[in-house]
Amino acid sequence: MKTVRVALKQCPYSIVIGHRILGDFGKKLRRLNPGRDALLVTSAKIWRLHGAALEKGLKQNGFSVKVFAVADGERSKSARSAVALLERIARYDVMRRPFIVAFGGGVIGDLAGFVAAVYKRGIPYVQIPTTFLAQIDAAIGGKTAIDLTAGKNLAGAFYQPKMVFSDVSVLKTLPLRQMRNGLAEAVKYGIILDPRLFRFLELHVRDVLAGEESALTRVVVRSSRLKAGVVEADEKEITGHRAILNFGHTLGHAIEAAGKFKLYQHGEAVALGMRMAADISVRKSMLGAGDARRINLLLDAAGLPRLCRKISAGQILTLMKHDKKFISGRNRFVLARAIGRVSLVEGIGETVIRQAVAGRLCAR
Ligand SMILES: NC(=O)c1ccc[n+]([C@@H]2O[C@H](COP(=O)([O-])OP(=O)(O)OC[C@H]3O[C@@H](n4cnc5c(N)ncnc54)[C@H](O)[C@@H]3O)[C@@H](O)[C@H]2O)c1
Ligand SMILES: [Zn+2]
């Protein structure tokens, strides 16, 4: 087991990473004394695949276990399902010492974290992320949210977990498309902060996709450390440092939205956004063509999309302008200067953006 510390002033916590460690979760948790009654928020599928070891370890360590299953998919991040979950918890929680365990992907982590933040004005919660994306990204950093009709993640809170517990063995049952989706964020960490991680991925991308445990552990540990470092430097997105995590996301979010959140999964859209951001970086003479090529080749090897299908440059650009991260109409891009180094640049000309987008559109 490896531990990555998230050294926040008010609420520091650990990210515990290993393989086949779900059974040890109860023992680890006991030391934190989060309460006595574990409210497990999960989906029926994840619970069926991986719940047994977790439940056994929790009970052996004196916790009561109550499972609250929610439906799979983004629709569970709605206000309606959050309120329904709160009502179910309130009916169950009479004279108890509850804490929440989010056991699932980013959807469950965001929903359960949000519910933990608002139930009785905040009860402790722990993240057990079960997708690659959640292990290296969504479960770390304390951003909790639900979606509103007007847009994704519009209601939420910064609310840090007491612990993140990542068992890479659960990724064995994750579909390949989801593995690729997570890998896009790992590639992003390499580009924004860590040439060694990038190199490791170039050499071991196939092992990672095949679920090889030592390669996966290395990527999850390193990515967790990198995200923890960014969150420590800018917990609540005030200094601006946390914005570097948005590399590939300015256009990625627009592509995701243009595909109505169905055509592309988040990591796939971000991969396309990263290809475009690398192109813009080259056009602005910030990045060498050789480095941009390495980025594209690694994304190819990860099996991530090369071209946008069924959406137009006009759609992408319009949606980009509506992104909530735009500052008073001025665009803001994270651009690469080298593998491992990026800068925030404001006010990129529309022609350059259009050229980069056009270069990634499917001809047909
Ligand atoms: N809070 C943050 O900082 C943050 C960061 C990035 C993304 N997010 C959010 O995360 C969500 C996306 O998360 P995601 O990509 O993990 O998707 P997800 O939570 O929808 O999970 C994807 C699918 O994988 C299944 N699954 C999960 N673990 C599995 C396993 N071990 N084996 C087999 N199937 C498994 C799920 O049931 C689901 O069908 C989005 O809502 C996004 O907004 C949040
Ligand atoms: Zn992302």
Side-chain angles (χ1 to χ4, degrees), residues 133 137 185 188 245 249 253 266 270:
L133 179 109
D137 185 4
E185 301 284 355
K188 178 193 79 181
L245 294 171
H249 282 60
H253 282 147
H266 178 72
V270 167

Side-chain angles (χ1 to χ4, degrees), residues 168-235:
V168 301
S169 305
V170 304
L171 304 181
K172 282 221 158 60
T173 56
L174 197 66
L176 182 60
R177 190 173 175 194
Q178 294 291 339
M179 288 301 291
R180 294 187 161 132
N181 204 34
L183 196 48
E185 301 284 355
V187 172
K188 178 193 79 181
Y189 289 126
I191 298 169
I192 63 173
L193 288 165
D194 190 351
R196 283 183 62 196
L197 172 62
F198 193 91
R199 185 75 195 127
F200 181 83
L201 291 170
E202 284 179 320
L203 296 172
H204 298 283
V205 63
R206 270 171 209 82
D207 303 331
V208 171
L209 287 174
E212 206 272 299
E213 283 173 341
S214 68
L216 271 176
T217 305
R218 179 123 173 221
V219 174
V220 174
V221 168
R222 191 62 202 148
S223 302
S224 300
R225 211 164 256 152
L226 292 166
K227 176 135 187 201
V230 174
V231 172
E232 283 164 3
D234 185 16
E235 183 188 349

Side-chain angles (χ1 to χ4, degrees), residues 43 45-46 49-50 72-74 77 104-110 130-134 137-145 147 152-153 170-175 178 181 185 227 242 265-266:
S43 78
K45 179 171 98 182
I46 295 164
L49 287 170
H50 302 291
D72 265 323
E74 188 73 24
K77 260 176 71 174
V107 163
I108 281 171
D110 279 9
T130 63
T131 62
F132 195 20
L133 179 109
D137 185 4
I140 306 164
K143 274 192 181 179
T144 72
D147 304 332
K152 253 175 74 80
N153 296 325
V170 304
L171 304 181
K172 282 221 158 60
T173 56
L174 197 66
Q178 294 291 339
N181 204 34
E185 301 284 355
K227 176 135 187 201
R242 202 163 166 154
Q265 297 197 344
H266 178 72

Side-chain angles (χ1 to χ4, degrees), residues 39 86 89-90 93 98 100 114-123:
L39 313 179
L86 284 161
I89 289 173
D93 170 32
I100 287 179
F114 177 80
V115 163
V118 299
Y119 182 63
K120 292 181 169 170
R121 300 189 185 84
I123 60 171

Side-chain angles (χ1 to χ4, degrees), residues 247-320:
F247 181 75
H249 282 60
T250 306
L251 286 162
H253 282 147
I255 294 166
E256 215 180 344
K260 305 239 172 350
F261 299 94
K262 288 203 173 73
L263 219 48
Y264 295 105
Q265 297 197 344
H266 178 72
E268 295 167 347
V270 167
L272 288 161
M274 290 195 288
R275 292 181 193 270
M276 293 170 187
D279 188 1
I280 296 173
S281 310
V282 173
R283 288 174 192 274
K284 299 296 288 179
S285 304
M286 289 172 62
L287 182 73
D291 280 344
R293 194 174 136 76
R294 280 180 72 193
I295 292 172
N296 282 307
L297 284 175
L298 180 52
L299 294 170
D300 293 350
L304 286 155
R306 293 168 203 227
L307 294 172
C308 296
R309 282 164 215 285
K310 296 185 190 161
I311 48 179
S312 69
Q315 278 176 304
I316 296 173
L317 287 159
T318 307
L319 286 159
M320 182 189 81

